Amino acid sequence: GAVVSQHPSWVICKSGTSVKIECRSLDFQATTMFWYRQFPKQSLMLMATSNEGSKATYEQGVEKDKFLINHASLTLSTLTVTSAHPEDSSFYICSASPGQAFSGNTIYFGEGSWLTVV
Amino acid sequence: AQSVTQPDIHITVSEGASLELRCNYSYGATPYLFWYVQSPGQGLQLLLKYFSGDTLVQGIKGFEAEFKRSQSSFNLRKPSVHWSDAAEYFCAVATGYSSASKIIFGSGTRLSIRP
């Protein structure tokens, strides 16, 4: 079945550096992908909608210059956390859906990426 | 705006007992509703979804959920829980009907199983 894969599964970086997380749809094309952030023991909060070939749409309160999203192809979206700080440490999850409509399809979530900023 | 409310933060049930996790949604039209489960440190697994049709939806692992429009609810049930069901459960609603629609999650309910 359709799979969404994230890489890396976990990453530790130094404060002030940037880190990139990839989200790939392995056997379907996704014009839209979504990025979520989940702090420990909290729910998933939508950060942004990644649109292939155009700018991402960010949710209110999410800094677009800090969380750079690139959706250069129909199977890959990347989230770059720039100048990371310890408060950016979180679990980042992406999702994507094949096709245009939900009916008969579903949304697939990546396995998530743990980011720890030290 | 669309929203999902899970009123129970933490529930503990005995192994073998029945379970019901509550979920209420706010949406102007017929919603697309989901239940996901997340084990500690893991990603999300879809338990079941409701798009249309039969309001009683069967999912994996013996779970089911019933869509009640009059109550704006989509409660998750299981007749007999197993210790392996201990996890975090999220109810979610889609904001539209296309693959470009957002998924809004509830705050989650943590399920603990008493031996």
Side-chain angles (χ1 to χ4, degrees), chain B residues 80-105:
Chain B
S80 176
V81 299
H82 186 262
W83 65 266
S84 60
D85 293 324
E88 190 85 18
Y89 291 79
F90 294 99
C91 182
V93 64
T95 60
Y97 307 122
S98 77
S99 58
S101 302
K102 305 172 188 178
I103 306 298
I104 305 299
F105 287 86

PDB file of all heavy atoms in Angstrom, chain B residues 80-105:
ATOM      1  N   SER B  80     -13.754  -5.344  24.486  1.00  0.00           N
ATOM      2  CA  SER B  80     -12.868  -5.969  25.465  1.00  0.00           C
ATOM      3  C   SER B  80     -11.438  -5.544  25.162  1.00  0.00           C
ATOM      4  O   SER B  80     -10.863  -5.934  24.144  1.00  0.00           O
ATOM      5  CB  SER B  80     -12.995  -7.498  25.388  1.00  0.00           C
ATOM      6  OG  SER B  80     -12.079  -8.125  26.265  1.00  0.00           O
ATOM      7  N   VAL B  81     -10.869  -4.750  26.045  1.00  0.00           N
ATOM      8  CA  VAL B  81      -9.524  -4.214  25.780  1.00  0.00           C
ATOM      9  C   VAL B  81      -8.448  -5.205  26.193  1.00  0.00           C
ATOM     10  O   VAL B  81      -8.621  -6.030  27.085  1.00  0.00           O
ATOM     11  CB  VAL B  81      -9.291  -2.862  26.484  1.00  0.00           C
ATOM     12  CG1 VAL B  81     -10.273  -1.831  25.985  1.00  0.00           C
ATOM     13  CG2 VAL B  81      -9.362  -3.015  27.993  1.00  0.00           C
ATOM     14  N   HIS B  82      -7.324  -5.055  25.523  1.00  0.00           N
ATOM     15  CA  HIS B  82      -6.147  -5.887  25.787  1.00  0.00           C
ATOM     16  C   HIS B  82      -5.039  -4.970  26.278  1.00  0.00           C
ATOM     17  O   HIS B  82      -5.024  -3.765  25.981  1.00  0.00           O
ATOM     18  CB  HIS B  82      -5.759  -6.597  24.478  1.00  0.00           C
ATOM     19  CG  HIS B  82      -4.659  -7.581  24.623  1.00  0.00           C
ATOM     20  ND1 HIS B  82      -3.348  -7.291  24.323  1.00  0.00           N
ATOM     21  CD2 HIS B  82      -4.672  -8.884  25.041  1.00  0.00           C
ATOM     22  CE1 HIS B  82      -2.597  -8.356  24.538  1.00  0.00           C
ATOM     23  NE2 HIS B  82      -3.373  -9.331  24.974  1.00  0.00           N
ATOM     24  N   TRP B  83      -4.093  -5.538  26.997  1.00  0.00           N
ATOM     25  CA  TRP B  83      -3.014  -4.703  27.535  1.00  0.00           C
ATOM     26  C   TRP B  83      -2.288  -3.945  26.427  1.00  0.00           C
ATOM     27  O   TRP B  83      -1.791  -2.833  26.634  1.00  0.00           O
ATOM     28  CB  TRP B  83      -2.021  -5.556  28.332  1.00  0.00           C
ATOM     29  CG  TRP B  83      -1.272  -6.575  27.517  1.00  0.00           C
ATOM     30  CD1 TRP B  83      -1.612  -7.868  27.325  1.00  0.00           C
ATOM     31  CD2 TRP B  83      -0.084  -6.347  26.755  1.00  0.00           C
ATOM     32  NE1 TRP B  83      -0.715  -8.473  26.497  1.00  0.00           N
ATOM     33  CE2 TRP B  83       0.240  -7.572  26.131  1.00  0.00           C
ATOM     34  CE3 TRP B  83       0.746  -5.242  26.545  1.00  0.00           C
ATOM     35  CZ2 TRP B  83       1.362  -7.714  25.319  1.00  0.00           C
ATOM     36  CZ3 TRP B  83       1.854  -5.388  25.734  1.00  0.00           C
ATOM     37  CH2 TRP B  83       2.144  -6.619  25.129  1.00  0.00           C
ATOM     38  N   SER B  84      -2.238  -4.540  25.241  1.00  0.00           N
ATOM     39  CA  SER B  84      -1.536  -3.895  24.126  1.00  0.00           C
ATOM     40  C   SER B  84      -2.281  -2.687  23.580  1.00  0.00           C
ATOM     41  O   SER B  84      -1.744  -1.966  22.725  1.00  0.00           O
ATOM     42  CB  SER B  84      -1.313  -4.908  22.997  1.00  0.00           C
ATOM     43  OG  SER B  84      -2.553  -5.403  22.533  1.00  0.00           O
ATOM     44  N   ASP B  85      -3.500  -2.452  24.056  1.00  0.00           N
ATOM     45  CA  ASP B  85      -4.245  -1.275  23.601  1.00  0.00           C
ATOM     46  C   ASP B  85      -3.813  -0.003  24.319  1.00  0.00           C
ATOM     47  O   ASP B  85      -4.242   1.101  23.947  1.00  0.00           O
ATOM     48  CB  ASP B  85      -5.749  -1.487  23.810  1.00  0.00           C
ATOM     49  CG  ASP B  85      -6.319  -2.580  22.929  1.00  0.00           C
ATOM     50  OD1 ASP B  85      -5.860  -2.715  21.774  1.00  0.00           O
ATOM     51  OD2 ASP B  85      -7.224  -3.312  23.397  1.00  0.00           O
ATOM     52  N   ALA B  86      -2.988  -0.129  25.333  1.00  0.00           N
ATOM     53  CA  ALA B  86      -2.512   1.052  26.048  1.00  0.00           C
ATOM     54  C   ALA B  86      -1.732   1.938  25.089  1.00  0.00           C
ATOM     55  O   ALA B  86      -0.734   1.504  24.493  1.00  0.00           O
ATOM     56  CB  ALA B  86      -1.633   0.634  27.218  1.00  0.00           C
ATOM     57  N   ALA B  87      -2.186   3.173  24.924  1.00  0.00           N
ATOM     58  CA  ALA B  87      -1.587   4.081  23.942  1.00  0.00           C
ATOM     59  C   ALA B  87      -2.307   5.417  24.037  1.00  0.00           C
ATOM     60  O   ALA B  87      -3.188   5.615  24.877  1.00  0.00           O
ATOM     61  CB  ALA B  87      -1.707   3.511  22.529  1.00  0.00           C
ATOM     62  N   GLU B  88      -1.934   6.307  23.151  1.00  0.00           N
ATOM     63  CA  GLU B  88      -2.622   7.593  23.025  1.00  0.00           C
ATOM     64  C   GLU B  88      -3.541   7.509  21.818  1.00  0.00           C
ATOM     65  O   GLU B  88      -3.133   7.032  20.760  1.00  0.00           O
ATOM     66  CB  GLU B  88      -1.599   8.717  22.817  1.00  0.00           C
ATOM     67  CG  GLU B  88      -2.176  10.118  22.910  1.00  0.00           C
ATOM     68  CD  GLU B  88      -2.255  10.642  24.334  1.00  0.00           C
ATOM     69  OE1 GLU B  88      -1.565  10.087  25.200  1.00  0.00           O
ATOM     70  OE2 GLU B  88      -3.015  11.596  24.573  1.00  0.00           O
ATOM     71  N   TYR B  89      -4.766   7.995  21.996  1.00  0.00           N
ATOM     72  CA  TYR B  89      -5.755   7.916  20.919  1.00  0.00           C
ATOM     73  C   TYR B  89      -6.171   9.322  20.516  1.00  0.00           C
ATOM     74  O   TYR B  89      -6.495  10.153  21.360  1.00  0.00           O
ATOM     75  CB  TYR B  89      -6.971   7.109  21.367  1.00  0.00           C
ATOM     76  CG  TYR B  89      -6.659   5.637  21.538  1.00  0.00           C
ATOM     77  CD1 TYR B  89      -6.020   5.168  22.676  1.00  0.00           C
ATOM     78  CD2 TYR B  89      -6.975   4.724  20.535  1.00  0.00           C
ATOM     79  CE1 TYR B  89      -5.700   3.819  22.818  1.00  0.00           C
ATOM     80  CE2 TYR B  89      -6.671   3.377  20.675  1.00  0.00           C
ATOM     81  CZ  TYR B  89      -6.034   2.932  21.817  1.00  0.00           C
ATOM     82  OH  TYR B  89      -5.718   1.598  21.953  1.00  0.00           O
ATOM     83  N   PHE B  90      -6.148   9.549  19.219  1.00  0.00           N
ATOM     84  CA  PHE B  90      -6.499  10.856  18.696  1.00  0.00           C
ATOM     85  C   PHE B  90      -7.686  10.759  17.748  1.00  0.00           C
ATOM     86  O   PHE B  90      -7.687   9.940  16.829  1.00  0.00           O
ATOM     87  CB  PHE B  90      -5.324  11.476  17.927  1.00  0.00           C
ATOM     88  CG  PHE B  90      -4.141  11.810  18.782  1.00  0.00           C
ATOM     89  CD1 PHE B  90      -3.052  10.953  18.852  1.00  0.00           C
ATOM     90  CD2 PHE B  90      -4.113  12.988  19.519  1.00  0.00           C
ATOM     91  CE1 PHE B  90      -1.961  11.260  19.632  1.00  0.00           C
ATOM     92  CE2 PHE B  90      -3.025  13.294  20.309  1.00  0.00           C
ATOM     93  CZ  PHE B  90      -1.945  12.427  20.370  1.00  0.00           C
ATOM     94  N   CYS B  91      -8.649  11.613  17.992  1.00  0.00           N
ATOM     95  CA  CYS B  91      -9.753  11.800  17.063  1.00  0.00           C
ATOM     96  C   CYS B  91      -9.382  12.965  16.157  1.00  0.00           C
ATOM     97  O   CYS B  91      -8.715  13.915  16.593  1.00  0.00           O
ATOM     98  CB  CYS B  91     -11.029  12.096  17.843  1.00  0.00           C
ATOM     99  SG  CYS B  91     -12.517  12.297  16.852  1.00  0.00           S
ATOM    100  N   ALA B  92      -9.779  12.902  14.898  1.00  0.00           N
ATOM    101  CA  ALA B  92      -9.405  13.962  13.973  1.00  0.00           C
ATOM    102  C   ALA B  92     -10.514  14.189  12.957  1.00  0.00           C
ATOM    103  O   ALA B  92     -11.306  13.295  12.663  1.00  0.00           O
ATOM    104  CB  ALA B  92      -8.096  13.612  13.249  1.00  0.00           C
ATOM    105  N   VAL B  93     -10.549  15.396  12.427  1.00  0.00           N
ATOM    106  CA  VAL B  93     -11.527  15.749  11.402  1.00  0.00           C
ATOM    107  C   VAL B  93     -10.817  16.404  10.236  1.00  0.00           C
ATOM    108  O   VAL B  93      -9.852  17.148  10.418  1.00  0.00           O
ATOM    109  CB  VAL B  93     -12.617  16.698  11.977  1.00  0.00           C
ATOM    110  CG1 VAL B  93     -12.009  18.033  12.418  1.00  0.00           C
ATOM    111  CG2 VAL B  93     -13.720  16.948  10.964  1.00  0.00           C
ATOM    112  N   ALA B  94     -11.241  16.087   9.044  1.00  0.00           N
ATOM    113  CA  ALA B  94     -10.694  16.731   7.861  1.00  0.00           C
ATOM    114  C   ALA B  94     -11.472  18.006   7.595  1.00  0.00           C
ATOM    115  O   ALA B  94     -12.689  18.049   7.773  1.00  0.00           O
ATOM    116  CB  ALA B  94     -10.784  15.800   6.656  1.00  0.00           C
ATOM    117  N   THR B  95     -10.761  19.025   7.130  1.00  0.00           N
ATOM    118  CA  THR B  95     -11.395  20.320   6.936  1.00  0.00           C
ATOM    119  C   THR B  95     -12.079  20.445   5.586  1.00  0.00           C
ATOM    120  O   THR B  95     -12.675  21.471   5.285  1.00  0.00           O
ATOM    121  CB  THR B  95     -10.357  21.445   7.073  1.00  0.00           C
ATOM    122  OG1 THR B  95      -9.353  21.250   6.065  1.00  0.00           O
ATOM    123  CG2 THR B  95      -9.708  21.421   8.444  1.00  0.00           C
ATOM    124  N   GLY B  96     -11.962  19.411   4.776  1.00  0.00           N
ATOM    125  CA  GLY B  96     -12.589  19.446   3.466  1.00  0.00           C
ATOM    126  C   GLY B  96     -12.642  18.059   2.895  1.00  0.00           C
ATOM    127  O   GLY B  96     -12.477  17.070   3.623  1.00  0.00           O
ATOM    128  N   TYR B  97     -12.836  17.972   1.606  1.00  0.00           N
ATOM    129  CA  TYR B  97     -13.057  16.674   0.989  1.00  0.00           C
ATOM    130  C   TYR B  97     -12.002  16.320  -0.051  1.00  0.00           C
ATOM    131  O   TYR B  97     -12.166  15.391  -0.813  1.00  0.00           O
ATOM    132  CB  TYR B  97     -14.436  16.634   0.337  1.00  0.00           C
ATOM    133  CG  TYR B  97     -15.535  17.026   1.294  1.00  0.00           C
ATOM    134  CD1 TYR B  97     -16.374  18.093   1.024  1.00  0.00           C
ATOM    135  CD2 TYR B  97     -15.704  16.334   2.478  1.00  0.00           C
ATOM    136  CE1 TYR B  97     -17.371  18.449   1.910  1.00  0.00           C
ATOM    137  CE2 TYR B  97     -16.700  16.694   3.373  1.00  0.00           C
ATOM    138  CZ  TYR B  97     -17.523  17.753   3.086  1.00  0.00           C
ATOM    139  OH  TYR B  97     -18.504  18.110   3.958  1.00  0.00           O
ATOM    140  N   SER B  98     -10.922  17.064  -0.077  1.00  0.00           N
ATOM    141  CA  SER B  98      -9.883  16.770  -1.048  1.00  0.00           C
ATOM    142  C   SER B  98      -8.589  16.434  -0.324  1.00  0.00           C
ATOM    143  O   SER B  98      -8.460  16.641   0.885  1.00  0.00           O
ATOM    144  CB  SER B  98      -9.654  17.974  -1.964  1.00  0.00           C
ATOM    145  OG  SER B  98      -8.901  18.962  -1.291  1.00  0.00           O
ATOM    146  N   SER B  99      -7.643  15.949  -1.111  1.00  0.00           N
ATOM    147  CA  SER B  99      -6.350  15.605  -0.520  1.00  0.00           C
ATOM    148  C   SER B  99      -5.594  16.842  -0.061  1.00  0.00           C
ATOM    149  O   SER B  99      -4.587  16.730   0.619  1.00  0.00           O
ATOM    150  CB  SER B  99      -5.512  14.832  -1.539  1.00  0.00           C
ATOM    151  OG  SER B  99      -5.333  15.591  -2.717  1.00  0.00           O
ATOM    152  N   ALA B 100      -6.078  18.008  -0.418  1.00  0.00           N
ATOM    153  CA  ALA B 100      -5.447  19.242   0.041  1.00  0.00           C
ATOM    154  C   ALA B 100      -6.077  19.748   1.332  1.00  0.00           C
ATOM    155  O   ALA B 100      -5.734  20.827   1.810  1.00  0.00           O
ATOM    156  CB  ALA B 100      -5.558  20.310  -1.042  1.00  0.00           C
ATOM    157  N   SER B 101      -6.986  18.984   1.899  1.00  0.00           N
ATOM    158  CA  SER B 101      -7.648  19.413   3.127  1.00  0.00           C
ATOM    159  C   SER B 101      -6.794  19.079   4.337  1.00  0.00           C
ATOM    160  O   SER B 101      -6.115  18.069   4.390  1.00  0.00           O
ATOM    161  CB  SER B 101      -9.011  18.732   3.250  1.00  0.00           C
ATOM    162  OG  SER B 101      -9.818  19.020   2.138  1.00  0.00           O
ATOM    163  N   LYS B 102      -6.879  19.936   5.333  1.00  0.00           N
ATOM    164  CA  LYS B 102      -6.101  19.736   6.541  1.00  0.00           C
ATOM    165  C   LYS B 102      -6.786  18.733   7.449  1.00  0.00           C
ATOM    166  O   LYS B 102      -8.000  18.553   7.400  1.00  0.00           O
ATOM    167  CB  LYS B 102      -5.953  21.055   7.287  1.00  0.00           C
ATOM    168  CG  LYS B 102      -5.377  22.190   6.479  1.00  0.00           C
ATOM    169  CD  LYS B 102      -5.454  23.494   7.263  1.00  0.00           C
ATOM    170  CE  LYS B 102      -5.053  24.668   6.405  1.00  0.00           C
ATOM    171  NZ  LYS B 102      -5.184  25.942   7.148  1.00  0.00           N
ATOM    172  N   ILE B 103      -6.002  18.129   8.298  1.00  0.00           N
ATOM    173  CA  ILE B 103      -6.516  17.259   9.345  1.00  0.00           C
ATOM    174  C   ILE B 103      -6.296  17.964  10.673  1.00  0.00           C
ATOM    175  O   ILE B 103      -5.176  18.335  11.012  1.00  0.00           O
ATOM    176  CB  ILE B 103      -5.799  15.904   9.353  1.00  0.00           C
ATOM    177  CG1 ILE B 103      -5.868  15.248   7.973  1.00  0.00           C
ATOM    178  CG2 ILE B 103      -6.393  14.993  10.420  1.00  0.00           C
ATOM    179  CD1 ILE B 103      -7.267  14.950   7.523  1.00  0.00           C
ATOM    180  N   ILE B 104      -7.382  18.144  11.402  1.00  0.00           N
ATOM    181  CA  ILE B 104      -7.309  18.786  12.707  1.00  0.00           C
ATOM    182  C   ILE B 104      -7.465  17.705  13.768  1.00  0.00           C
ATOM    183  O   ILE B 104      -8.429  16.928  13.736  1.00  0.00           O
ATOM    184  CB  ILE B 104      -8.415  19.843  12.874  1.00  0.00           C
ATOM    185  CG1 ILE B 104      -8.355  20.864  11.727  1.00  0.00           C
ATOM    186  CG2 ILE B 104      -8.295  20.528  14.223  1.00  0.00           C
ATOM    187  CD1 ILE B 104      -7.056  21.620  11.649  1.00  0.00           C
ATOM    188  N   PHE B 105      -6.542  17.674  14.702  1.00  0.00           N
ATOM    189  CA  PHE B 105      -6.533  16.638  15.722  1.00  0.00           C
ATOM    190  C   PHE B 105      -7.113  17.139  17.038  1.00  0.00           C
ATOM    191  O   PHE B 105      -6.970  18.304  17.407  1.00  0.00           O
ATOM    192  CB  PHE B 105      -5.107  16.144  15.980  1.00  0.00           C
ATOM    193  CG  PHE B 105      -4.558  15.294  14.874  1.00  0.00           C
ATOM    194  CD1 PHE B 105      -3.943  15.874  13.778  1.00  0.00           C
ATOM    195  CD2 PHE B 105      -4.664  13.918  14.936  1.00  0.00           C
ATOM    196  CE1 PHE B 105      -3.447  15.092  12.749  1.00  0.00           C
ATOM    197  CE2 PHE B 105      -4.171  13.124  13.917  1.00  0.00           C
ATOM    198  CZ  PHE B 105      -3.565  13.712  12.825  1.00  0.00           C
TER     199      PHE B 105
END
